[in-house]
Structure formats: C-alpha cells, structure tokens
C-alpha cells in the first residue's frame, strides 16, 4: 500500500503537481513508520521510510519551504546513517546516504549557507570515493563519484574559487569520459559527460576565457546533438540540447556577437517550443520557452529594437504564467516571471509607453505580494523593524535581501551590517558579495531613496555613507589582494566586477561627480580617493587580463 502511494506521489511530481504529490507521500510515510515500528529488524522498511522522507524534502525544497525541507532531509539522514553504519556490506545504504547529503547541500547552498553546503558535499564525496574504490566494476558508483565532483565544483565556482572548481569539474569529466567510452550503449553516461563539458564551459566563460569556453560548449553540443537525434523519444536529451544552445548564445552575446547569439537562442527556442507543445503537462518546458524569449529580448534591447523586445517579453510572460499556474510556489518560475515583467517595464519605458510600463510594474508587485516565501519574510521584516533580532545569520541575510528588494534600504544596510559583524568570514564569499550589497543599500538609504521606512535625518545619512565607505574600501582591498595573489583566471572576473562598480546606479549618490558636489566637503575627499583607487585597480586588472587571456 505504501508503495502505491509513493508511485502516485512521483507521478504527480513528474507532471508538475508538486503540492498534490505531498498528500499521497504523507500517507506512504504514515504506513512506513508503522511498519518500521512493528518490524524493527526489517531494514528494508527503514530504507523505504528514509527514501520517502528524502523525496518529501525534495518536494518541499522545490516549493520554497526550506525549513521543512531541511527537517525532512534530516529524518532521512538519521535513518540512512544508522543503516549504513549497522550494515556496512550493503552498499545501497551508503549510496542513498550520499545522495541525501548532496540534496541537503543543495538546500544549504540555496539558503546562503555555503560552508554547510560544502561540508555536506564533502561527506557525500567521501562516501562515493570509498564506494568507487571498493567496487571498481560498479559503474553506478563511478558515475555517482563524478556527480559529487560536479556538485562540489558548482559550489566552488559560486564561491569564487575558480581554480578549485575547475579541478573538480576536471575530475568529473575524466570519470565521465571513461564511463562513456567503456559503456557506449548507456546513453546516460554520454549525457552526463556533455553536462560536465557544459560546466567547464560556464566556468571558463565566467573567468574571461571565451575561446576555451566556446570549445567546451562545442564538445557538449556535439554529444547532445547525437543523443537527441538517436533518441527522439527521450525529451531530456532534447531539453539539454536546447540548454546547450542557450548557454552558447549567452556567451556569444556577452562577447559582442549578437547575430551568432540570436541564431543560438533561435535554435534553443525551436526545440523548447516543440517540447512545450508536445508535452503541455510539463511546466518546465513552458518555463524554458519563457527563459529563451527573455534572453532574445536582451539582444533586441541591446540593439535598441525595443518594439521587438516588448513583443518577445509579452510572449515570455504568457509561457511563464502557464508554468506558474501548475506550480504557484516554484521559485524558479516566479523569478523568471519577475525578470520578464521587469524587462517589459524597461522596454515600455524606452518606447514612451507609460501605461505598459505601469501595468508591468503592477503585475510585478502583485506577483511578489502573492509569494508565500515573501509573505513570511515580510512578516519577519516587520518584527525586525520593531526591534526583534534575526534568529541567525542565515535569516538575517535573507531578510537583508528582501528589505533591499522592497526598497527598505536603511533596514537592509542594518541587517547586512549585523551579519557581517557577527561572521566576518562572510566577506570571503566572492560570489555573494555581502559587503558590497551592504554598501549599495547604505548608499541608497543615505540618498533618501528608500520606501516604507521612517525618513532619515542628516546624522543618520552621514553614518550610512560612512559605513558604505568602510565597506567599499574593504571590498576594494580584497579585490586588490586577489588580483595580486589569486589565480590568473580571476583577473577577468575582477575587471568585470570593478566595471560594474562604475556603472551601478545604486552607488550614483556617492560616485557621480554631480552627486559628490552635494556632499559635505569633509566627506568628498575620501570618496574621490576611493574612485581614483578603483580606476587604477581596474586599469591594472584590464591590462593583465588582456595580456594573459589565453584559451
């Protein structure tokens, strides 16, 4: 009976009905808990219960309920650790334990806990390395080890540790190439090899090695094209081929090849529209169409074709709403729709379509107000504004971002500042850049651009600018050190980051010449010095990138 409920839950999940999948899964867990309680020696029952808790954690994670998901993964891990410890000869238990550590790590990364995520990925890697060494002929364990290297590499890349990430991706590709070569009939291994090349391509692109990135994308696309042609009934292969074209298009657009980018996105759109038409039950395909149209609209906007951009974004919104109607809590669909509405508003503004821009903004506000995750954050923000402390740094960082997104800049700066003071190691995360974000919030608050919070007097504005100066000065010093002692591939990222500082509208009130003249003379000199230092560091980073940029 529990198995039937589980199958029903998986069927609902596979067709995008995430919330509907929870009821049969809860019934399965109820039955499995009774079986475990009444039959403690039967390890199979305990293993099935752990798998159900793990699946519930996945459902909760994809629907944005991080706290519930972590509890479910915790229940699964508790059971699986005991099973693996008490039954060391049963490799299945160790393998399931590694998988749960991976998904817990994914959740921890999503919620801004990079150190905890790396620890979880590390435990999974340790288990899978042992399984692969002790069972060299079991390809499942070799493949699992490659997946662990990939997961760790993605985390390292997001943390700004490009050299470590490239090593992890390299280990994954080495294993995947051997598996694909020795098992040509197993298409899954070829597919994962293509994903490995794709991960390397994304890393090389992010570190300014466009030629090398394009070559890696080429390796991935060659495999994906073959898989899609030879296995037309496997939608996953067509979907990944479309993703490969999409990623290549993004690289081509970033390197100034708009025509090539448009062609790549066009190939992705053709595949994704076909998948969405043929499989209306799958909301991911509809969402992917919206994402591709959004990327194509960016090319139009860059070429000042605002009418075409508006049309594509209007189509993207229709597709994204189809996906969201199936799973209203899905954070990816919600974020994509927000991106489409924000882009539509910008395109309408460039066309002097004030009514269209206002309608897009109204829909965006409505979307954000209806988000269960945002509703919970907003309730907590109200409590924080009234003097209640954040539960921990993870909550403080989430609340800081939400305060910033809702233009409560003074509160955002306070929350980011408190988190940085409580854990100075947060500044090591070059991907999240919490200290820079704090400075942006302080700058906007000091410029009286906040909303839904009390007005600030001159003393408060001065203090905020002082904090912003301290944070930006420290950030600049960190980037300078990384330029001197970091890996060569980091130079392009540093140059790109510093160029963003020069253009970021958040910093206009403490950067632009016309705004600096409005500041007290006692502050002006320090700001002028900071921007001179930035110009010098950017020139140095750009020169070293151009002289050392090799495939």
């Amino acid at each position: 009976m529990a198995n039937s409920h589980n199958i029903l839950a998986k069927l609902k999940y596979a067709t995008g009905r995430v919330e509907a999948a929870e009821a049969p899964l809860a019934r399965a867990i109820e039955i499995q808990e009774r079986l475990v309680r009444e039959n403690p020696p039967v390890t199979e029952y305990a293993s099935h219960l752990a798998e159900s808790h793990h699946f519930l954690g996945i459902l909760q994670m994809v629907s944005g309920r991080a706290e519930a998901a972590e509890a479910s993964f915790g229940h699964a891990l508790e059971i699986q650790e005991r099973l693996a410890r008490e039954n060391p000869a049963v490799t299945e238990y160790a393998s399931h334990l590694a998988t749960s550590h991976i998904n817990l790590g994914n959740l921890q990364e999503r919620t801004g806990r990079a150190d905890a995520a790396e620890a979880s990925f590390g435990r999974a890697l340790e288990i899978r390395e042992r399984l692969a060494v002790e069972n060299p002929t079991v390809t499942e364990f070799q493949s699992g080890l490659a997946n662990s290297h990939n997961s760790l590499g993605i985390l390292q890349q997001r943390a700004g540790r490009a050299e470590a990430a490239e090593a992890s991706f390299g280990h994954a590709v080495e294993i995947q190439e051997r598996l694909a070569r020795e098992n040509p009939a197993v298409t899954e291994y070829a597919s994962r090899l293509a994903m490995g090349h794709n991960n390397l391509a994304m890393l090389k692109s992010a570190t300014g090695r466009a030629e090398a990135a394009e070559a890696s994308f080429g390796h991935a696309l060659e495999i994906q094209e073959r898989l899609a042609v030879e296995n037309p009934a496997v939608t996953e292969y067509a979907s990944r081929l479309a993703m490969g074209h999409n990623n290549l298009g993004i690289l081509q657009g970033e390197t100034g090849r708009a025509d090539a980018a448009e062609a790549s996105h066009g190939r992705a759109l053709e595949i994704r529209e076909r998948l969405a038409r043929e499989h209306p039950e799958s909301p991911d395909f509809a969402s992917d169409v919206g994402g591709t149209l959004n990327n194509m609209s960016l090319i139009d906007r860059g070429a000042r074709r605002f009418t075409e951009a508006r049309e594509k974004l209007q189509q993207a919104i229709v597709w994204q709403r189809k996906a969201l109607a199936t799973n209203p809590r899905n954070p990816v669909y919600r974020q994509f729709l927000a991106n489409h509405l924000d882009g539509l508003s910008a395109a309408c503004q460039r066309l002097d379509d004030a009514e269209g821009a206002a309608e897009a903004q109204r829909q965006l506000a409505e979307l954000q107000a209806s988000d269960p995750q945002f509703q919970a954050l907003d309730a907590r923000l109200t409590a924080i504004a009234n003097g209640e402390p954040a539960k921990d740094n993870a909550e403080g960082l989430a609340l800081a971002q939400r305060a910033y997104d809702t233009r409560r800049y003074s509160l955002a700066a306070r929350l980011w500042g408190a988190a940085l003071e409580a854990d100075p190691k947060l500044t090591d995360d070059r991907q999240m850049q919490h200290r820079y974000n704090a400075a942006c919030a302080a700058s906007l608050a000091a410029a009286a651009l906040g909303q839904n919070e009390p007005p600030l007097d001159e003393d408060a504005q001065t203090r905020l600018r002082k904090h912003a100066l301290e944070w930006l000065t420290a950030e600049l010093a960190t980037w300078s050190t990384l330029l001197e002692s970091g890996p060569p591939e980091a130079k392009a990222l540093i140059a790109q980051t510093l160029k963003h500082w020069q253009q970021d509208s958040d910093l206009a009130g403490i950067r632009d010449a016309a705004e600096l003249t409005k500041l007290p003379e006692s502050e002006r000199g320090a700001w002028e010095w900071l921007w001179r230092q930035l110009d010098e560091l950017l020139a140095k980073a750009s020169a070293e990138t151009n002289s050392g940029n090799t495939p």
Side-chain angles (χ1 to χ4, degrees), residues 343-378:
L344 178 60
S345 175
C348 287
Q349 288 173 9
R350 299 304 297 263
L351 291 167
D352 294 325
D353 179 6
E355 185 178 344
E359 176 59 20
Q361 285 297 317
R362 186 195 67 76
Q363 292 184 34
L364 180 59
E366 186 179 86
L367 173 70
Q368 292 174 338
S370 69
D371 192 318
Q373 182 180 357
F374 288 156
Q375 289 172 350
L377 285 173
D378 288 342

Side-chain angles (χ1 to χ4, degrees), residues 127-418:
I127 295 167
R128 286 176 167 172
E129 280 181 331
R130 177 175 58 76
L131 287 172
V133 168
E134 294 176 357
N135 304 273
T137 61
V138 181
T139 55
E140 176 192 347
F141 296 150
Q142 306 296 323
S143 181
L145 177 58
N147 292 342
S148 282
H149 281 302
N150 254 330
S151 296
L152 183 58
I154 291 168
L155 179 68
Q156 291 165 331
Q157 180 180 353
R158 288 174 179 165
R161 293 154 50 204
E163 195 171 354
E166 189 156 2
S168 293
F169 290 147
H171 291 317
V173 167
E174 182 182 353
I175 296 169
Q176 290 159 336
E177 283 180 335
R178 177 171 53 78
L179 286 172
R181 185 174 60 252
E182 295 176 357
N183 304 273
V186 183
T187 56
E188 179 187 359
Y189 296 150
S191 179
R192 289 184 177 179
L193 173 58
M195 292 300 293
H197 283 302
N198 183 77
N199 287 337
L200 275 172
M202 298 290 282
L203 175 65
K204 291 170 183 175
S205 174
T207 52
R209 293 173 288 165
E211 257 186 79
E214 190 153 356
S216 291
F217 278 136
H219 293 319
L221 281 168
E222 182 180 353
I223 298 168
Q224 289 162 334
E225 291 262 15
R226 176 175 59 79
L227 287 172
V229 168
E230 295 176 357
N231 304 273
V234 183
T235 57
E236 178 186 353
Y237 297 154
S239 179
R240 288 186 175 178
L241 173 59
M243 183 192 69
H245 284 303
N246 182 73
N247 290 340
L248 178 59
I250 291 172
L251 172 66
Q252 291 164 331
E254 289 174 345
T255 51
R257 292 171 290 160
D259 289 345
E262 196 161 10
S264 292
H265 286 310
R267 285 189 282 273
L269 182 64
E270 182 181 351
I271 296 168
R272 286 176 163 173
E273 283 184 331
R274 176 177 59 78
L275 288 171
R277 283 195 310 271
E278 294 176 357
H279 301 276
E281 77 283 357
S282 176
D284 281 352
F285 295 149
S287 178
D288 287 344
V289 174
T292 302
L293 286 164
N294 189 86
N295 289 336
M296 297 178 79
S297 78
L298 292 173
I299 298 172
D300 286 332
R301 287 163 64 185
R304 305 184 65 79
R305 299 192 299 262
F306 299 113
T307 299
E308 290 86 343
R310 178 173 60 182
E311 291 172 358
K312 288 185 177 70
L313 287 163
Q314 288 168 338
Q315 293 173 42
I317 289 166
V318 171
W319 282 105
Q320 209 61 242
R321 287 198 182 279
K322 283 183 181 178
L324 200 58
T326 305
N327 183 3
R329 287 177 175 267
N330 188 289
V332 174
Y333 303 163
R334 299 189 74 90
Q335 184 58 60
F336 276 21
L337 180 56
N339 293 345
H340 306 339
L341 290 166
D342 193 48
L344 178 60
S345 175
C348 287
Q349 288 173 9
R350 299 304 297 263
L351 291 167
D352 294 325
D353 179 6
E355 185 178 344
E359 176 59 20
Q361 285 297 317
R362 186 195 67 76
Q363 292 184 34
L364 180 59
E366 186 179 86
L367 173 70
Q368 292 174 338
S370 69
D371 192 318
Q373 182 180 357
F374 288 156
Q375 289 172 350
L377 285 173
D378 288 342
R380 287 292 296 144
L381 275 179
T382 299
I384 296 293
N386 291 332
E388 187 174 320
K391 296 175 184 175
D392 51 35
N393 252 16
E395 184 191 47
L397 291 170
L399 290 170
Q401 185 63 55
R402 179 58 179 163
Y404 172 88
D405 291 340
T406 54
R407 301 187 180 184
R408 286 173 274 191
Y409 299 128
S410 180
L411 181 56
R414 175 160 68 85
L415 286 163
W416 264 312

Side-chain angles (χ1 to χ4, degrees), residues 476-492 494-495 498 536-541 544:
L476 200 61
T478 298
W479 287 121
S480 179
T481 300
L482 189 58
L483 182 65
E484 294 293 336
S485 59
E489 60 267 24
K491 299 182 190 302
I494 295 169
L498 298 180
E536 291 174 10
L537 187 61
L538 174 56
K540 183 177 180 181
E544 293 186 15

Side-chain angles (χ1 to χ4, degrees), residues 15-166:
T15 54
R17 293 173 289 167
V18 175
E19 291 186 21
E22 287 195 35
L25 187 57
R27 180 62 181 140
I29 289 173
E30 182 183 341
I31 296 169
Q32 289 164 335
E33 284 178 337
R34 177 174 54 78
L35 288 171
V36 169
R37 194 167 53 248
E38 295 174 356
N39 304 273
V42 184
T43 57
E44 182 184 0
Y45 293 156
S47 180
H48 290 165
L49 174 60
E51 288 176 34
S52 292
H53 280 301
H54 177 259
F55 183 33
L56 179 59
I58 291 173
L59 294 180
Q60 292 162 333
M61 180 168 65
V62 300
S63 59
R65 290 170 290 158
E67 196 171 334
E70 187 154 4
S72 294
F73 287 141
H75 294 318
L77 283 165
E78 183 180 355
I79 298 168
Q80 290 164 333
E81 283 174 348
R82 177 176 57 79
L83 288 173
R85 184 176 60 252
E86 295 176 357
N87 303 273
V90 184
T91 56
E92 177 187 352
Y93 296 155
S95 181
H96 288 171
L97 174 60
T99 300
S100 289
H101 279 304
I102 285 287
N103 282 321
L104 176 60
N106 289 333
L107 174 67
Q108 291 164 331
E109 184 186 9
R110 285 189 183 191
T111 51
R113 293 169 290 164
D115 289 345
E118 187 159 5
S120 293
F121 289 155
R123 284 190 282 273
L125 184 63
E126 182 181 344
I127 295 167
R128 286 176 167 172
E129 280 181 331
R130 177 175 58 76
L131 287 172
V133 168
E134 294 176 357
N135 304 273
T137 61
V138 181
T139 55
E140 176 192 347
F141 296 150
Q142 306 296 323
S143 181
L145 177 58
N147 292 342
S148 282
H149 281 302
N150 254 330
S151 296
L152 183 58
I154 291 168
L155 179 68
Q156 291 165 331
Q157 180 180 353
R158 288 174 179 165
R161 293 154 50 204
E163 195 171 354
E166 189 156 2

